[in-house]
Amino acid sequence: AQSVAQPEDQVNVAEGNPLTVKCTYSVSGNPYLFWYVQYPNRGLQFLLKYITGDNLVKGSYGFEAEFNKSQTSFHLKKPSALVSDSALYFCAVRDISNFGNEKLTFGTGTRLTIIP
Amino acid sequence: GAGVSQSPRYKVAKRGQDVALRCDPISGHVSLFWYQQALGQGPEFLTYFQNEAQLDKSGLPSDRFFAERPEGSVSTLKIQRTQQEDSAVYLCASSLVHGDRGLWQPQHFGDGTRLSIL
């Protein structure tokens, strides 16, 4: 089985400050990890992925995420928050050790609000 | 358009009616996915197609849910005898290739169909 936990329903950050949105995962084998962002009444937009290699991955709009295998975490980060970053963020995992498994399992989401 | 297109954007139906939701994936995308997103929740997997073949339907909640992709392009999700718990946003996603190579290509999502069952 594969699962994702996003422990914070809501994160508030002042504009210009660094932000972190937390994600932990559980898989029986090796994970592929993803972050998506959702704006109101819209579908999900891909931000970044961890497949293999460097534990720090960089994505769209200045976001980055760090894969930590020992802590089974994949936290999303940005050095300086913008008001336009306010949205709903989803972490997702796929267990690649399960042959033929293509599906993503998503967390419940974290609402990020950047305060001007 | 260049993105995944879903129609209708909003659908209201009475309990017991049948509904059909359409997804037009990005041209040339081999893989197609359906997800259900309840209010305040993350998307949950329903089913997956590789071309016209439905390879995984483990997430379909009951036999009232049926999906097809007969020509390997457009897909339809049908819900028979709708119930109030079917109210949700139904998201369609497509990606360029399947299998491990497909993981290098992100799933691209449509804006969803918001289904309300009265």
Side-chain angles (χ1 to χ4, degrees), chain B residues 46-113:
Chain B
L46 293 177
T47 187
Y48 156 64
F49 290 86
Q50 176 189 314
N51 294 307
E52 69 278 4
Q54 189 174 18
L55 298 186
D56 187 346
K57 53 182 181 179
S58 62
L60 295 177
S62 77
D63 59 7
R64 296 186 296 104
F65 286 70
F66 172 77
E68 61 183 4
R69 193 186 185 198
E71 298 179 358
S73 178
V74 171
S75 177
T76 303
L77 177 66
K78 298 179 180 179
I79 309 173
Q80 297 176 323
R81 305 181 303 282
T82 53
Q83 300 178 5
Q84 284 192 325
E85 61 262 31
D86 300 335
S87 297
V89 175
Y90 291 84
L91 296 169
C92 177
S94 69
S95 67
L96 186 59
V97 294
H98 65 90
D100 281 339
R101 290 177 59 214
L103 293 172
W104 297 101
Q105 302 291 334
Q107 293 183 21
H108 296 268
F109 283 79
D111 287 340
T113 294

Side-chain angles (χ1 to χ4, degrees), chain B residues 11-19 64 79-87 115-118:
Chain B
K11 176 69 178 178
V12 180
K14 292 183 179 179
R15 185 166 57 91
Q17 288 183 331
D18 298 348
V19 298
R64 296 186 296 104
I79 309 173
Q80 297 176 323
R81 305 181 303 282
T82 53
Q83 300 178 5
Q84 284 192 325
E85 61 262 31
D86 300 335
S87 297
L115 176 63
S116 298
I117 305 300
L118 305 179

Side-chain angles (χ1 to χ4, degrees), chain A residues 32 34 36 38 41-46 49 51-52 88 90 94 96 100-109, chain B residues 9-10 33 35 37 40-43 45 48 56 58 91 98-100 103-104 106-112 114:
Chain A
Y32 283 13
F34 307 84
Y36 282 82
Q38 187 175 36
N41 297 316
R42 303 298 301 275
L44 280 69
Q45 293 181 27
F46 171 76
K49 65 180 184 295
I51 302 296
T52 186
L88 190 56
F90 290 98
R94 178 198 163 195
I96 63 167
N101 173 36
E102 296 284 342
K103 67 183 180 185
L104 297 181
T105 297
F106 288 86
T108 52
Chain B
R9 284 297 315 276
Y10 303 91
F33 303 80
Y35 292 86
Q37 186 175 20
Q41 300 296 314
F45 171 81
Y48 156 64
D56 187 346
S58 62
L91 296 169
H98 65 90
D100 281 339
L103 293 172
W104 297 101
Q107 293 183 21
H108 296 268
F109 283 79
D111 287 340
R114 182 177 298 276

